[in-house]
Amino acid sequence: MLSPALGRTGANLVGAIWSSFTVLLEVLICQCPRHITPEKFYVEACDDGADDVLAIDRVSTEVTLTVKKDVPPSAVTRPIFGILGTIRLVAGTYLIVITKKKKVGEIFSHAIWKATDFDILSYKKTMLHLTDIQLQDNKVFLSMISHVLSVDGFYFSTTYDLTHTLQRLANTSPEFQEMSLLERADPRFVWNGHLLREFAAQPEIHRFATPVMHGFISMHSCSINGKCFDWLLVSRRSCFRAGVRYYVRGIDSEGHAANFVETEQIVHYKGSKASFVQTRGSIPFFWSQRPNLKYKPKPQISKSVNHMDGFQRHFDSQIISYGKQMIVNLVNQKGSELPLEQTFAKMVNSMANGMVRYIAFDFHKECSRMRWDRLQILLDQLAEQQDEFSYFLVDSDGKIVTQQEGTFRSNCMDCLDRTNVIQSLLARRSLQAQLQRLGVLHVGQRIEEQADFEKIYKNAWADNANACAKQYAGTGALKTDYTRTGKRTQWGLIMDGWNSLIRYYKNNFSDGFRQDAIDLFLGNYSVDEVESASPLHVKKDWKFLALPIIMVVAFSMCIICLLMAGDTWTETLAYVLFWGTASFGTFAIILYNGKDFVDAPKLVQKEKMD
């Protein structure tokens, strides 16, 4: 007879095997076979039992519907899991498809997937029509598309609209519910919207198009007091004014903010659903912070534009989407960040909109010397406002119990590290109220006391911070040790230092390529097949190569003179001073002309967008 422990182990093993089997079965069922011939691409519908096949002519690029019997037997067949869209490069049009996916979990019985691998297929059968320069340019453009696709965080569902919050979905018309996922998706969060533009123009083929969001999704089945519920965290990154850390700041003329992310926390318990939404986004007026080899470039507020026009547009759209706005500005209230805080506060006062409120909290000053308990000061200041905003709640009968009346719009300089810490604390306070109302938590119980769930909660928010940071700054987030453990650690400080160094390198020497890749992917730049002068070929000034070589040679000579002393100490000192002065002077010239030495975007002149 088996012991209870062995029985539980066996049951767990069977459960794990069954879970793996069902996931594998779902993957196999959701495959969309792709057939390739020299003349056409054929993609079968993923719907079970469907006979429709999408036919894409590789010569005329025409897209039509046909049936399975029209697929030639000689076609090469490969499984795919969705069409990301098409894009025109130097060699012609390319089809981008999802070739691998991983199941993240389920939202209300709808499977949610992360796209993990892609294929970029050329319509052209040969590249013989291209010159050597065109071949090289096409290769660079392909590497840009591949780079964007390699950044983790592309999610999709074939049956559920990931781009809308629960509250937006609950307040829609029956006509909206009948629309295809492509038609009804929020364009802010469809990262392949540009790639699907040809599909969007033909309603009959919408079912073959896969709207994909970029950001972060975490799903967990949790238990507190023996009561099981689903807890989800969803961050949707906007594709409007998207880009990398230092090349995209502030807003554009339409009021779209850089690094805008909508984060929704969802609870599902016995048919009842609750959600709490927050947003983050760059300080919403016209400013820039170009990399120039300095560790922290000085922010520049534009003096040649009317800030209020874009500022007003930004908050008008936020109020329409989310209701009342509570701005939580976490930048330093001294040094180079102070003018940004002062301008932000002044513009909110000038706008005089009762729907928009503002609070400034100097995160670094208040939490200096590990005084992280002082974050409670900010939470106490926001408590009344958070109670007023409430959260969205719908009961098991589908009746809306409460609506979220407003959102917290948090920001720091990057809207990453400091912002994520504050958002996780506000979300915890909302979750406390939701779980008590749903009866999961007993009166007087605190989330912090539930060790198992607390670990899940903190790790998910830290993972969210890392995902958002990698997508914008190129590295994991800072301060995640506090998010994961509730306290700052020495190892956390070391990792923050390491990530800061990696950010410095990427921001100065690789972010131009990353920005170009995003602009190409999102359609901010379109490749002209007949364009004679490619923007990729930018001639570097002589000093770009000469000065670094001079600096390295001078520094090397300085070291050699130190190691190989002359006949007298005065002779050695003279040589060291000469070569040391030469290396230091060259370094000073390079630093003064820092903007000429960084990797800048080539495809879109960002100055026009600031």
Side-chain angles (χ1 to χ4, degrees):
M1 186 173 177
L2 289 174
S3 69
L6 287 174
R8 284 194 298 271
T9 302
N12 291 339
L13 181 60
V14 170
I17 294 173
W18 175 250
S19 177
S20 301
F21 174 75
T22 53
V23 169
L24 177 62
L25 188 62
E26 282 182 308
V27 169
L28 292 173
I29 291 174
C30 295
Q31 285 182 354
C32 312
R34 174 196 72 197
H35 312 282
I36 301 177
T37 70
E39 295 77 28
K40 291 185 179 182
F41 295 126
Y42 296 92
V43 179
E44 293 185 24
C46 295
D47 309 21
D48 191 25
D51 192 48
D52 289 341
V53 174
L54 189 72
I56 304 174
D57 193 297
R58 298 177 66 175
V59 178
S60 68
T61 72
E62 183 183 9
V63 182
T64 57
L65 279 179
T66 184
V67 291
K68 290 180 181 179
K69 66 181 180 63
D70 292 334
V71 178
S74 59
V76 178
T77 303
R78 295 286 185 277
I80 65 170
F81 300 103
I83 296 177
L84 209 65
T86 61
I87 190 166
R88 295 186 70 84
L89 301 180
V90 179
T93 305
Y94 285 81
L95 177 69
I96 307 175
V97 296
I98 302 169
T99 56
K100 290 182 182 178
K101 64 179 182 178
K102 177 183 177 183
K103 188 173 183 181
V104 181
E106 293 187 357
I107 295 182
F108 319 129
S109 300
H110 296 278
I112 308 301
W113 306 92
K114 176 191 279 189
T116 57
D117 203 5
F118 306 84
D119 205 355
I120 307 172
L121 307 168
S122 175
Y123 282 33
K124 301 289 186 182
K125 296 184 284 292
T126 176
M127 300 292 170
L128 294 177
H129 62 294
L130 300 180
T131 65
D132 289 343
I133 293 177
Q134 287 176 322
L135 276 171
Q136 185 60 35
D137 287 350
N138 196 68
K139 185 177 179 181
V140 173
F141 286 131
L142 279 172
S143 68
M144 288 181 180
I145 299 299
S146 296
H147 173 78
V148 174
L149 296 175
S150 70
V151 178
D152 193 37
F154 288 102
Y155 299 89
F156 69 97
S157 173
T158 57
T159 57
Y160 185 79
D161 188 350
L162 283 173
T163 65
H164 287 289
T165 64
L166 293 190
Q167 183 161 316
R168 287 201 295 270
L169 290 173
N171 290 289
T172 55
S173 64
E175 292 76 21
F176 178 87
Q177 299 289 343
E178 293 299 318
M179 292 180 181
S180 67
L181 290 178
L182 182 59
E183 286 179 290
R184 60 189 269 185
D186 189 329
R188 295 178 298 166
F189 306 122
V190 181
W191 265 66
N192 58 332
H194 170 69
L195 304 180
L196 290 174
R197 63 201 181 284
E198 295 180 4
F199 287 77
Q202 298 178 249
E204 68 274 12
I205 63 173
H206 281 185
R207 62 193 290 202
F208 291 91
T210 308
V212 172
M213 63 157 270
H214 197 213
F216 176 77
I217 298 180
S218 180
M219 302 181 180
H220 297 275
S221 294
C222 309
S223 177
I224 295 178
N225 296 325
K227 299 173 182 177
C228 298
F229 61 96
D230 292 327
W231 179 77
L232 300 82
L233 188 61
V234 181
S235 281
R236 307 173 179 96
R237 188 182 180 203
S238 175
C239 60
F240 297 147
R241 195 160 174 75
V244 297
R245 186 187 183 199
Y246 280 144
Y247 283 116
V248 182
R249 295 293 210 193
I251 57 172
D252 60 20
S253 58
E254 299 299 317
H256 301 306
N259 197 27
F260 182 86
V261 180
E262 172 190 273
T263 299
E264 180 179 22
Q265 178 178 262
I266 300 172
V267 175
H268 184 211
Y269 176 64
K270 289 186 175 180
S272 296
K273 306 166 191 172
S275 101
F276 179 67
V277 175
Q278 302 179 75
T279 63
R280 69 176 77 184
S282 190
I283 297 174
F285 48 81
F286 299 95
W287 64 284
S288 60
Q289 195 178 12
R290 302 281 176 215
N292 57 6
L293 296 183
K294 294 180 181 177
Y295 179 73
K296 193 175 182 181
K298 185 178 180 180
Q300 302 290 332
I301 300 174
S302 177
K303 299 177 181 178
S304 60
V305 295
N306 183 346
H307 291 280
M308 188 54 73
D309 285 347
F311 190 83
Q312 186 78 52
R313 284 193 183 97
H314 175 75
F315 281 105
D316 285 347
S317 67
Q318 296 303 290
I319 291 169
I320 290 171
S321 297
Y322 303 105
K324 296 176 182 177
Q325 294 289 292
M326 183 69 213
I327 300 164
V328 183
N329 190 357
L330 304 169
V331 301
N332 298 342
Q333 294 177 30
K334 66 176 183 178
S336 63
E337 297 183 14
L338 177 59
L340 295 173
E341 192 281 318
Q342 292 175 329
T343 304
F344 201 173
K346 181 180 178 182
M347 293 187 70
V348 172
N349 290 331
S350 299
M351 187 170 61
N353 188 330
M355 297 284 284
V356 181
R357 300 179 190 176
Y358 177 90
I359 187 170
F361 182 82
D362 191 331
F363 188 105
H364 286 151
K365 177 186 176 183
E366 295 293 341
C367 299
S368 62
R369 298 191 297 275
M370 302 288 197
R371 296 180 301 173
W372 294 87
D373 58 294
R374 293 182 65 80
L375 290 173
Q376 190 60 44
I377 295 173
L378 177 60
L379 294 180
D380 291 341
Q381 291 175 330
L382 298 175
E384 184 178 348
Q385 189 72 67
Q386 186 169 7
D387 292 339
E388 179 188 328
F389 286 170
S390 188
Y391 48 83
F392 176 73
L393 177 63
V394 59
D395 64 22
S396 56
D397 296 325
K399 179 184 176 182
I400 296 176
V401 180
T402 62
Q403 301 254 24
Q404 185 172 339
E405 303 294 338
T407 57
F408 291 97
R409 185 202 186 278
S410 305
N411 74 268
C412 45
M413 290 296 287
D414 300 326
C415 306
L416 296 175
D417 314 313
R418 289 172 278 185
T419 296
N420 199 78
V421 170
I422 295 304
Q423 284 196 338
S424 69
L425 296 177
L426 289 170
R428 186 206 302 276
R429 189 175 184 276
S430 179
L431 185 61
Q432 174 78 34
Q434 292 169 8
L435 293 180
Q436 283 185 338
R437 186 162 188 170
L438 292 171
V440 175
L441 283 176
H442 299 152
V443 177
Q445 275 190 316
R446 305 290 301 171
I447 290 178
E448 294 89 334
E449 300 165 356
Q450 315 306 315
D452 291 342
F453 177 75
E454 181 74 351
K455 183 177 180 180
I456 291 171
Y457 181 89
K458 288 178 175 178
N459 282 328
W461 272 98
D463 292 341
N464 177 66
N466 280 331
C468 292
K470 287 176 182 176
Q471 291 159 13
Y472 186 55
T475 72
L478 312 183
K479 303 177 180 68
T480 52
D481 56 329
Y482 178 80
T483 311
R484 291 189 194 278
T485 65
K487 60 183 179 181
R488 277 300 240 159
T489 63
Q490 295 298 326
W491 178 249
L493 291 173
I494 292 172
M495 289 306 300
D496 282 0
W498 174 252
N499 279 328
S500 295
L501 286 174
I502 300 299
R503 281 188 188 182
Y504 173 82
Y505 175 82
K506 288 192 172 184
N507 296 161
N508 284 282
F509 304 115
S510 67
D511 270 4
F513 177 85
R514 291 177 61 221
Q515 184 62 54
D516 283 338
I518 293 171
D519 284 329
L520 178 64
F521 188 87
L522 296 178
N524 298 329
Y525 175 84
S526 297
V527 175
D528 188 345
E529 293 179 48
V530 297
E531 189 175 31
S532 56
S534 169
L536 295 175
H537 304 291
V538 179
K539 289 186 178 180
K540 291 288 186 180
D541 191 74
W542 64 271
K543 61 178 178 283
F544 180 77
L545 289 176
L547 289 178
I549 292 173
I550 293 171
M551 185 185 72
V552 171
V553 170
F555 182 75
S556 300
M557 290 301 296
C558 183
I559 298 299
I560 290 171
C561 290
L562 283 172
L563 297 176
M564 301 176 64
D567 296 335
T568 64
W569 70 269
T570 53
E571 181 184 357
T572 301
L573 181 62
Y575 281 124
V576 169
L577 286 175
F578 174 79
W579 290 114
T581 302
S583 61
F584 180 79
T586 310
F587 175 74
I589 295 172
I590 291 174
L591 203 59
Y592 180 78
N593 296 279
K595 288 186 177 181
D596 296 331
F597 290 89
V598 299
D599 178 39
K602 300 180 178 71
L603 301 186
V604 177
Q605 295 298 314
K606 283 294 167 187
E607 286 80 0
K608 296 178 181 178
M609 299 174 66
D610 287 339

mmCIF file of all heavy atoms in Angstrom, residues 53-88:
data_model
loop_
_atom_site.group_PDB
_atom_site.id
_atom_site.type_symbol
_atom_site.label_atom_id
_atom_site.label_comp_id
_atom_site.label_asym_id
_atom_site.label_seq_id
_atom_site.Cartn_x
_atom_site.Cartn_y
_atom_site.Cartn_z
ATOM 1 N N VAL A 53 -8.121 28.510 -47.344
ATOM 2 C CA VAL A 53 -6.668 28.636 -47.456
ATOM 3 C C VAL A 53 -6.362 30.023 -48.021
ATOM 4 O O VAL A 53 -6.994 30.474 -48.974
ATOM 5 C CB VAL A 53 -6.072 27.555 -48.387
ATOM 6 C CG1 VAL A 53 -4.584 27.791 -48.615
ATOM 7 C CG2 VAL A 53 -6.299 26.170 -47.803
ATOM 8 N N LEU A 54 -5.396 30.681 -47.391
ATOM 9 C CA LEU A 54 -4.958 31.992 -47.866
ATOM 10 C C LEU A 54 -3.869 31.786 -48.911
ATOM 11 O O LEU A 54 -2.876 31.101 -48.654
ATOM 12 C CB LEU A 54 -4.410 32.814 -46.690
ATOM 13 C CG LEU A 54 -4.109 34.288 -46.951
ATOM 14 C CD1 LEU A 54 -5.402 35.067 -47.091
ATOM 15 C CD2 LEU A 54 -3.276 34.865 -45.815
ATOM 16 N N ALA A 55 -4.061 32.372 -50.084
ATOM 17 C CA ALA A 55 -3.080 32.244 -51.161
ATOM 18 C C ALA A 55 -2.439 33.603 -51.410
ATOM 19 O O ALA A 55 -3.133 34.596 -51.655
ATOM 20 C CB ALA A 55 -3.747 31.730 -52.428
ATOM 21 N N ILE A 56 -1.110 33.655 -51.328
ATOM 22 C CA ILE A 56 -0.367 34.897 -51.528
ATOM 23 C C ILE A 56 0.519 34.727 -52.758
ATOM 24 O O ILE A 56 1.427 33.892 -52.768
ATOM 25 C CB ILE A 56 0.505 35.240 -50.306
ATOM 26 C CG1 ILE A 56 -0.362 35.312 -49.041
ATOM 27 C CG2 ILE A 56 1.245 36.549 -50.521
ATOM 28 C CD1 ILE A 56 0.439 35.493 -47.762
ATOM 29 N N ASP A 57 0.240 35.520 -53.790
ATOM 30 C CA ASP A 57 1.010 35.439 -55.030
ATOM 31 C C ASP A 57 2.376 36.092 -54.815
ATOM 32 O O ASP A 57 2.464 37.263 -54.435
ATOM 33 C CB ASP A 57 0.266 36.144 -56.159
ATOM 34 C CG ASP A 57 0.850 35.821 -57.522
ATOM 35 O OD1 ASP A 57 2.022 36.171 -57.756
ATOM 36 O OD2 ASP A 57 0.136 35.229 -58.345
ATOM 37 N N ARG A 58 3.452 35.348 -55.052
ATOM 38 C CA ARG A 58 4.801 35.841 -54.784
ATOM 39 C C ARG A 58 5.291 36.825 -55.847
ATOM 40 O O ARG A 58 6.301 37.496 -55.638
ATOM 41 C CB ARG A 58 5.768 34.667 -54.675
ATOM 42 C CG ARG A 58 5.437 33.718 -53.534
ATOM 43 C CD ARG A 58 6.365 32.525 -53.482
ATOM 44 N NE ARG A 58 7.743 32.889 -53.164
ATOM 45 C CZ ARG A 58 8.708 31.992 -52.981
ATOM 46 N NH1 ARG A 58 8.437 30.691 -53.080
ATOM 47 N NH2 ARG A 58 9.937 32.386 -52.701
ATOM 48 N N VAL A 59 4.572 36.939 -56.960
ATOM 49 C CA VAL A 59 4.960 37.872 -58.028
ATOM 50 C C VAL A 59 4.151 39.154 -57.951
ATOM 51 O O VAL A 59 4.686 40.260 -57.837
ATOM 52 C CB VAL A 59 4.805 37.221 -59.417
ATOM 53 C CG1 VAL A 59 5.176 38.222 -60.518
ATOM 54 C CG2 VAL A 59 5.658 35.972 -59.514
ATOM 55 N N SER A 60 2.824 39.019 -57.952
ATOM 56 C CA SER A 60 1.951 40.211 -57.931
ATOM 57 C C SER A 60 1.666 40.692 -56.512
ATOM 58 O O SER A 60 1.132 41.789 -56.335
ATOM 59 C CB SER A 60 0.630 39.886 -58.628
ATOM 60 O OG SER A 60 -0.120 38.939 -57.872
ATOM 61 N N THR A 61 1.974 39.887 -55.497
ATOM 62 C CA THR A 61 1.702 40.118 -54.066
ATOM 63 C C THR A 61 0.198 40.119 -53.762
ATOM 64 O O THR A 61 -0.199 40.485 -52.659
ATOM 65 C CB THR A 61 2.334 41.439 -53.549
ATOM 66 O OG1 THR A 61 1.619 42.553 -54.075
ATOM 67 C CG2 THR A 61 3.804 41.523 -53.889
ATOM 68 N N GLU A 62 -0.627 39.701 -54.697
ATOM 69 C CA GLU A 62 -2.069 39.655 -54.480
ATOM 70 C C GLU A 62 -2.411 38.578 -53.444
ATOM 71 O O GLU A 62 -1.839 37.487 -53.447
ATOM 72 C CB GLU A 62 -2.790 39.360 -55.796
ATOM 73 C CG GLU A 62 -4.312 39.354 -55.673
ATOM 74 C CD GLU A 62 -5.002 38.975 -56.978
ATOM 75 O OE1 GLU A 62 -4.308 38.549 -57.916
ATOM 76 O OE2 GLU A 62 -6.240 39.098 -57.042
ATOM 77 N N VAL A 63 -3.359 38.918 -52.555
ATOM 78 C CA VAL A 63 -3.784 37.993 -51.499
ATOM 79 C C VAL A 63 -5.228 37.593 -51.757
ATOM 80 O O VAL A 63 -6.122 38.465 -51.836
ATOM 81 C CB VAL A 63 -3.654 38.636 -50.109
ATOM 82 C CG1 VAL A 63 -4.072 37.631 -49.022
ATOM 83 C CG2 VAL A 63 -2.242 39.130 -49.863
ATOM 84 N N THR A 64 -5.487 36.285 -51.871
ATOM 85 C CA THR A 64 -6.838 35.794 -52.158
ATOM 86 C C THR A 64 -7.154 34.587 -51.283
ATOM 87 O O THR A 64 -6.273 34.009 -50.646
ATOM 88 C CB THR A 64 -6.983 35.389 -53.643
ATOM 89 O OG1 THR A 64 -5.982 34.400 -53.949
ATOM 90 C CG2 THR A 64 -6.806 36.591 -54.560
ATOM 91 N N LEU A 65 -8.439 34.209 -51.275
ATOM 92 C CA LEU A 65 -8.874 33.009 -50.563
ATOM 93 C C LEU A 65 -9.080 31.871 -51.542
ATOM 94 O O LEU A 65 -9.603 32.058 -52.641
ATOM 95 C CB LEU A 65 -10.174 33.281 -49.810
ATOM 96 C CG LEU A 65 -10.086 33.985 -48.462
ATOM 97 C CD1 LEU A 65 -11.486 34.192 -47.890
ATOM 98 C CD2 LEU A 65 -9.231 33.192 -47.483
ATOM 99 N N THR A 66 -8.680 30.675 -51.146
ATOM 100 C CA THR A 66 -8.919 29.486 -51.937
ATOM 101 C C THR A 66 -9.254 28.346 -50.979
ATOM 102 O O THR A 66 -9.558 28.600 -49.805
ATOM 103 C CB THR A 66 -7.698 29.158 -52.828
ATOM 104 O OG1 THR A 66 -8.013 28.046 -53.660
ATOM 105 C CG2 THR A 66 -6.475 28.855 -51.986
ATOM 106 N N VAL A 67 -9.203 27.103 -51.446
ATOM 107 C CA VAL A 67 -9.521 25.952 -50.596
ATOM 108 C C VAL A 67 -8.374 24.957 -50.646
ATOM 109 O O VAL A 67 -7.478 25.037 -51.489
ATOM 110 C CB VAL A 67 -10.835 25.267 -51.042
ATOM 111 C CG1 VAL A 67 -12.029 26.170 -50.760
ATOM 112 C CG2 VAL A 67 -10.788 24.899 -52.519
ATOM 113 N N LYS A 68 -8.400 23.994 -49.712
ATOM 114 C CA LYS A 68 -7.280 23.072 -49.546
ATOM 115 C C LYS A 68 -6.973 22.268 -50.804
ATOM 116 O O LYS A 68 -5.813 21.975 -51.102
ATOM 117 C CB LYS A 68 -7.567 22.122 -48.377
ATOM 118 C CG LYS A 68 -7.542 22.795 -47.016
ATOM 119 C CD LYS A 68 -7.831 21.795 -45.906
ATOM 120 C CE LYS A 68 -7.830 22.473 -44.541
ATOM 121 N NZ LYS A 68 -8.143 21.523 -43.439
ATOM 122 N N LYS A 69 -7.999 21.921 -51.572
ATOM 123 C CA LYS A 69 -7.752 21.080 -52.746
ATOM 124 C C LYS A 69 -6.969 21.807 -53.835
ATOM 125 O O LYS A 69 -6.413 21.174 -54.739
ATOM 126 C CB LYS A 69 -9.081 20.559 -53.314
ATOM 127 C CG LYS A 69 -10.002 21.616 -53.890
ATOM 128 C CD LYS A 69 -11.281 20.995 -54.400
ATOM 129 C CE LYS A 69 -12.224 22.041 -54.986
ATOM 130 N NZ LYS A 69 -11.645 22.713 -56.166
ATOM 131 N N ASP A 70 -6.892 23.156 -53.705
ATOM 132 C CA ASP A 70 -6.147 23.925 -54.701
ATOM 133 C C ASP A 70 -4.663 24.032 -54.379
ATOM 134 O O ASP A 70 -3.885 24.595 -55.160
ATOM 135 C CB ASP A 70 -6.721 25.344 -54.815
ATOM 136 C CG ASP A 70 -8.113 25.338 -55.427
ATOM 137 O OD1 ASP A 70 -8.418 24.400 -56.186
ATOM 138 O OD2 ASP A 70 -8.896 26.265 -55.143
ATOM 139 N N VAL A 71 -4.255 23.514 -53.217
ATOM 140 C CA VAL A 71 -2.830 23.547 -52.846
ATOM 141 C C VAL A 71 -2.106 22.454 -53.629
ATOM 142 O O VAL A 71 -2.467 21.272 -53.526
ATOM 143 C CB VAL A 71 -2.634 23.333 -51.334
ATOM 144 C CG1 VAL A 71 -1.151 23.328 -50.989
ATOM 145 C CG2 VAL A 71 -3.367 24.406 -50.545
ATOM 146 N N PRO A 72 -1.095 22.793 -54.439
ATOM 147 C CA PRO A 72 -0.385 21.780 -55.243
ATOM 148 C C PRO A 72 0.271 20.725 -54.352
ATOM 149 O O PRO A 72 0.845 21.053 -53.301
ATOM 150 C CB PRO A 72 0.682 22.598 -55.986
ATOM 151 C CG PRO A 72 0.171 24.014 -55.975
ATOM 152 C CD PRO A 72 -0.594 24.155 -54.698
ATOM 153 N N PRO A 73 0.213 19.472 -54.733
ATOM 154 C CA PRO A 73 0.843 18.393 -53.940
ATOM 155 C C PRO A 73 2.353 18.567 -53.811
ATOM 156 O O PRO A 73 2.962 18.058 -52.876
ATOM 157 C CB PRO A 73 0.498 17.126 -54.731
ATOM 158 C CG PRO A 73 -0.675 17.506 -55.581
ATOM 159 C CD PRO A 73 -0.517 18.954 -55.892
ATOM 160 N N SER A 74 2.948 19.282 -54.754
ATOM 161 C CA SER A 74 4.400 19.457 -54.756
ATOM 162 C C SER A 74 4.872 20.540 -53.778
ATOM 163 O O SER A 74 6.083 20.724 -53.596
ATOM 164 C CB SER A 74 4.880 19.825 -56.166
ATOM 165 O OG SER A 74 4.245 21.042 -56.595
ATOM 166 N N ALA A 75 3.936 21.245 -53.154
ATOM 167 C CA ALA A 75 4.301 22.350 -52.264
ATOM 168 C C ALA A 75 5.060 21.839 -51.036
ATOM 169 O O ALA A 75 4.755 20.768 -50.493
ATOM 170 C CB ALA A 75 3.049 23.101 -51.825
ATOM 171 N N VAL A 76 6.038 22.616 -50.609
ATOM 172 C CA VAL A 76 6.797 22.304 -49.391
ATOM 173 C C VAL A 76 5.976 22.775 -48.191
ATOM 174 O O VAL A 76 5.580 23.946 -48.114
ATOM 175 C CB VAL A 76 8.176 23.004 -49.396
ATOM 176 C CG1 VAL A 76 8.922 22.715 -48.098
ATOM 177 C CG2 VAL A 76 8.981 22.567 -50.611
ATOM 178 N N THR A 77 5.736 21.879 -47.239
ATOM 179 C CA THR A 77 4.840 22.177 -46.114
ATOM 180 C C THR A 77 5.605 22.331 -44.807
ATOM 181 O O THR A 77 6.461 21.497 -44.494
ATOM 182 C CB THR A 77 3.777 21.073 -45.958
ATOM 183 O OG1 THR A 77 3.042 20.950 -47.187
ATOM 184 C CG2 THR A 77 2.817 21.403 -44.820
ATOM 185 N N ARG A 78 5.290 23.392 -44.069
ATOM 186 C CA ARG A 78 5.867 23.644 -42.749
ATOM 187 C C ARG A 78 4.756 24.170 -41.833
ATOM 188 O O ARG A 78 3.894 24.932 -42.276
ATOM 189 C CB ARG A 78 6.993 24.681 -42.829
ATOM 190 C CG ARG A 78 8.210 24.256 -43.616
ATOM 191 C CD ARG A 78 9.051 23.239 -42.852
ATOM 192 N NE ARG A 78 10.290 22.924 -43.565
ATOM 193 C CZ ARG A 78 10.403 22.046 -44.536
ATOM 194 N NH1 ARG A 78 9.324 21.368 -44.923
ATOM 195 N NH2 ARG A 78 11.566 21.823 -45.123
ATOM 196 N N PRO A 79 4.771 23.802 -40.547
ATOM 197 C CA PRO A 79 3.751 24.329 -39.629
ATOM 198 C C PRO A 79 4.115 25.748 -39.167
ATOM 199 O O PRO A 79 5.282 26.057 -38.925
ATOM 200 C CB PRO A 79 3.793 23.351 -38.456
ATOM 201 C CG PRO A 79 5.203 22.848 -38.455
ATOM 202 C CD PRO A 79 5.638 22.811 -39.886
ATOM 203 N N ILE A 80 3.109 26.609 -39.079
ATOM 204 C CA ILE A 80 3.292 27.931 -38.483
ATOM 205 C C ILE A 80 2.147 28.167 -37.501
ATOM 206 O O ILE A 80 1.177 27.399 -37.459
ATOM 207 C CB ILE A 80 3.330 29.057 -39.533
ATOM 208 C CG1 ILE A 80 1.971 29.183 -40.256
ATOM 209 C CG2 ILE A 80 4.472 28.871 -40.502
ATOM 210 C CD1 ILE A 80 1.856 30.409 -41.130
ATOM 211 N N PHE A 81 2.234 29.235 -36.712
ATOM 212 C CA PHE A 81 1.222 29.499 -35.687
ATOM 213 C C PHE A 81 0.584 30.879 -35.829
ATOM 214 O O PHE A 81 -0.106 31.340 -34.925
ATOM 215 C CB PHE A 81 1.837 29.356 -34.299
ATOM 216 C CG PHE A 81 2.388 27.973 -34.058
ATOM 217 C CD1 PHE A 81 3.750 27.732 -34.128
ATOM 218 C CD2 PHE A 81 1.543 26.907 -33.798
ATOM 219 C CE1 PHE A 81 4.260 26.456 -33.923
ATOM 220 C CE2 PHE A 81 2.033 25.635 -33.599
ATOM 221 C CZ PHE A 81 3.400 25.404 -33.659
ATOM 222 N N GLY A 82 0.816 31.516 -36.955
ATOM 223 C CA GLY A 82 0.184 32.802 -37.191
ATOM 224 C C GLY A 82 0.985 33.637 -38.172
ATOM 225 O O GLY A 82 2.187 33.433 -38.366
ATOM 226 N N ILE A 83 0.286 34.585 -38.804
ATOM 227 C CA ILE A 83 0.926 35.515 -39.732
ATOM 228 C C ILE A 83 1.120 36.848 -39.021
ATOM 229 O O ILE A 83 0.162 37.457 -38.547
ATOM 230 C CB ILE A 83 0.072 35.708 -41.002
ATOM 231 C CG1 ILE A 83 -0.029 34.397 -41.774
ATOM 232 C CG2 ILE A 83 0.659 36.811 -41.882
ATOM 233 C CD1 ILE A 83 -0.920 34.482 -43.006
ATOM 234 N N LEU A 84 2.376 37.301 -38.950
ATOM 235 C CA LEU A 84 2.676 38.585 -38.327
ATOM 236 C C LEU A 84 2.419 39.731 -39.294
ATOM 237 O O LEU A 84 2.049 40.830 -38.883
ATOM 238 C CB LEU A 84 4.126 38.605 -37.843
ATOM 239 C CG LEU A 84 4.431 39.482 -36.633
ATOM 240 C CD1 LEU A 84 3.704 38.951 -35.404
ATOM 241 C CD2 LEU A 84 5.931 39.522 -36.372
ATOM 242 N N GLY A 85 2.619 39.472 -40.603
ATOM 243 C CA GLY A 85 2.355 40.496 -41.609
ATOM 244 C C GLY A 85 3.388 40.491 -42.704
ATOM 245 O O GLY A 85 4.170 39.538 -42.858
ATOM 246 N N THR A 86 3.410 41.574 -43.493
ATOM 247 C CA THR A 86 4.352 41.699 -44.602
ATOM 248 C C THR A 86 5.085 43.032 -44.506
ATOM 249 O O THR A 86 4.562 44.003 -43.947
ATOM 250 C CB THR A 86 3.631 41.622 -45.958
ATOM 251 O OG1 THR A 86 2.686 42.711 -46.058
ATOM 252 C CG2 THR A 86 2.888 40.305 -46.114
ATOM 253 N N ILE A 87 6.287 43.078 -45.085
ATOM 254 C CA ILE A 87 7.061 44.314 -45.103
ATOM 255 C C ILE A 87 7.889 44.365 -46.379
ATOM 256 O O ILE A 87 8.370 43.345 -46.872
ATOM 257 C CB ILE A 87 7.980 44.419 -43.859
ATOM 258 C CG1 ILE A 87 8.591 45.814 -43.761
ATOM 259 C CG2 ILE A 87 9.058 43.342 -43.864
ATOM 260 C CD1 ILE A 87 9.234 46.107 -42.422
ATOM 261 N N ARG A 88 8.013 45.574 -46.928
ATOM 262 C CA ARG A 88 8.791 45.765 -48.156
ATOM 263 C C ARG A 88 10.194 46.230 -47.800
ATOM 264 O O ARG A 88 10.378 47.225 -47.090
ATOM 265 C CB ARG A 88 8.125 46.795 -49.068
ATOM 266 C CG ARG A 88 6.769 46.354 -49.599
ATOM 267 C CD ARG A 88 6.225 47.344 -50.598
ATOM 268 N NE ARG A 88 6.985 47.334 -51.834
ATOM 269 C CZ ARG A 88 6.788 46.475 -52.837
ATOM 270 N NH1 ARG A 88 5.855 45.529 -52.723
ATOM 271 N NH2 ARG A 88 7.505 46.553 -53.940
#
